[in-house]
Amino acid sequence: MGRAAIAVAVAGVAVLAGCTVQPPDGDGKRRSPVRIELPGDTPSPDRSPDGDDGGPGTAPATPPGDDKPSAAPVPPRVLWSRGDTGRDVRELQARLRQVAWLFEGPTGTYDESTKRAVSGFQGKRGLPRTGRTDTVTWQRLLRMTREPGTWELYLMGGQPADPPDPRCTTGRVLCVDKTSRTLRWMIDGRTVSTMAVRFGSKGTPTREGVFSIYWKSRDHVSTLYDSPMPYAMFFSGGQAVHYSPDFAARGYAGASHGCVNVRDEGAIAELYAQVRDGDKVVVSW
């Protein structure tokens, strides 16, 4: 086959194969193909207008979507913060007391002192000091503390009262419940007010039964223990319902010498003004 025939054959194959063949220059010499694309092959990237073909030393093109900023981490969910109330807040406060970050309450209200305690706890453990209890803070606190008991949750009162003893449903009655540690002031079966109370210790227990108020003494001082008993309302020997500064300060961490202690001075002041000699007192479990 002559050279002309061979050239025509090669050109035909090149066209069928998708090749682009460089024609001979004026000097009769042939040049290499500019590029060859076989069917099914991935096309070569187009050259850029300035001649940059993405060769070595050239930054590759950015894949679609890779120029978007990465998503910011999701902050932990806040469980409780200042102003929240309820039983869960009481538990938070009781647990903070266990690790000596809170010395008041529990009150059941997320107040400023609770916020400061949470912030201090967070800072000590390298957490953001937000003062808000989020899921991370709560889980850390749970690992460091134990489940608080009922009287840790209600150390300073605030517990709900149990249903009244049936003997309290008629007349004017100071209905004292040792189980829920509450006093209901009731008139003809209606509860006028309720307050937290505490009782005597095992050595000096508060007597149970049905009694009546036989003497009131606004600024009484105990002759036996030389301790103040403001708003005293005596119902059984030397035992009385009265305000206790110690109960107000220490809660259920202390006990009386047999009297029924009230920690809310404002509440007992109102009660003292309403109770009369002869009103019934029921003390029961």
Side-chain angles (χ1 to χ4, degrees):
M1 180 182 295
R3 291 189 177 185
I6 293 173
V8 169
V10 170
V13 171
V15 169
L16 291 175
C19 299
T20 302
V21 180
Q22 182 76 18
D25 284 346
D27 59 2
K29 295 180 180 180
R30 297 186 179 275
R31 299 289 184 256
S32 303
V34 175
R35 64 182 181 185
I36 299 176
E37 293 178 1
L38 298 178
D41 280 1
T42 302
S44 302
D46 293 333
R47 294 176 183 271
S48 59
D50 60 1
D52 185 358
D53 62 359
T58 308
T62 304
D66 281 7
D67 59 342
K68 294 180 181 178
S70 57
V74 179
R77 181 167 60 93
V78 174
L79 300 175
W80 311 290
S81 58
R82 185 170 182 181
D84 288 338
T85 60
R87 195 268 181 202
D88 289 340
V89 175
R90 281 188 182 276
E91 181 174 347
L92 167 68
Q93 293 169 329
R95 289 180 183 271
L96 287 169
R97 284 178 59 87
Q98 290 179 21
V99 291
W101 277 104
L102 188 66
F103 301 96
E104 304 170 5
T107 63
T109 298
Y110 205 117
D111 53 13
E112 182 61 30
S113 56
T114 303
K115 179 181 176 181
R116 287 196 302 268
V118 170
S119 178
F121 177 85
Q122 290 169 327
K124 183 73 173 181
R125 280 140 196 94
L127 302 174
R129 297 176 63 116
T130 64
R132 298 186 297 272
T133 303
D134 55 40
T135 51
V136 174
T137 303
W138 180 238
Q139 289 301 319
R140 182 68 65 88
L141 183 60
L142 287 179
R143 291 196 295 270
M144 296 178 61
T145 55
R146 54 177 170 74
E147 182 75 21
T150 299
W151 300 114
E152 285 181 279
L153 294 173
Y154 296 101
L155 178 64
M156 307 306 289
Q159 67 274 16
D162 286 349
D165 185 283
R167 296 170 291 181
C168 300
T169 56
T170 59
R172 298 165 57 88
V173 190
L174 290 171
C175 191
V176 181
D177 187 339
K178 283 188 169 183
T179 302
S180 63
R181 300 184 181 182
T182 55
L183 181 155
R184 289 176 183 261
W185 168 229
M186 302 184 68
I187 299 177
D188 296 330
R190 178 177 61 90
T191 299
V192 178
S193 60
T194 305
M195 57 202 73
V197 293
R198 73 176 184 183
F199 309 101
S201 62
K202 290 183 178 180
T204 56
T206 302
R207 289 184 281 274
E208 297 146 31
V210 180
F211 311 93
S212 61
I213 299 296
Y214 69 88
W215 180 38
K216 294 171 60 179
S217 179
R218 167 62 179 80
D219 299 305
H220 193 78
V221 177
S222 171
T223 56
L224 185 59
Y225 299 105
D226 194 30
S227 58
M229 298 170 56
Y231 305 102
M233 294 171 279
F234 290 89
F235 62 88
S236 177
Q239 294 188 356
V241 176
H242 68 85
Y243 170 67
S244 170
D246 182 72
F247 185 19
R250 300 172 59 205
Y252 290 110
S256 74
H257 294 103
C259 288
V260 177
N261 289 166
V262 178
R263 69 176 304 272
D264 186 335
E265 187 172 8
I268 196 171
E270 291 184 13
L271 180 64
Y272 184 88
Q274 297 175 51
V275 171
R276 309 168 187 163
D277 287 351
D279 285 345
K280 186 164 60 175
V281 179
V282 176
V283 182
S284 64
W285 281 101

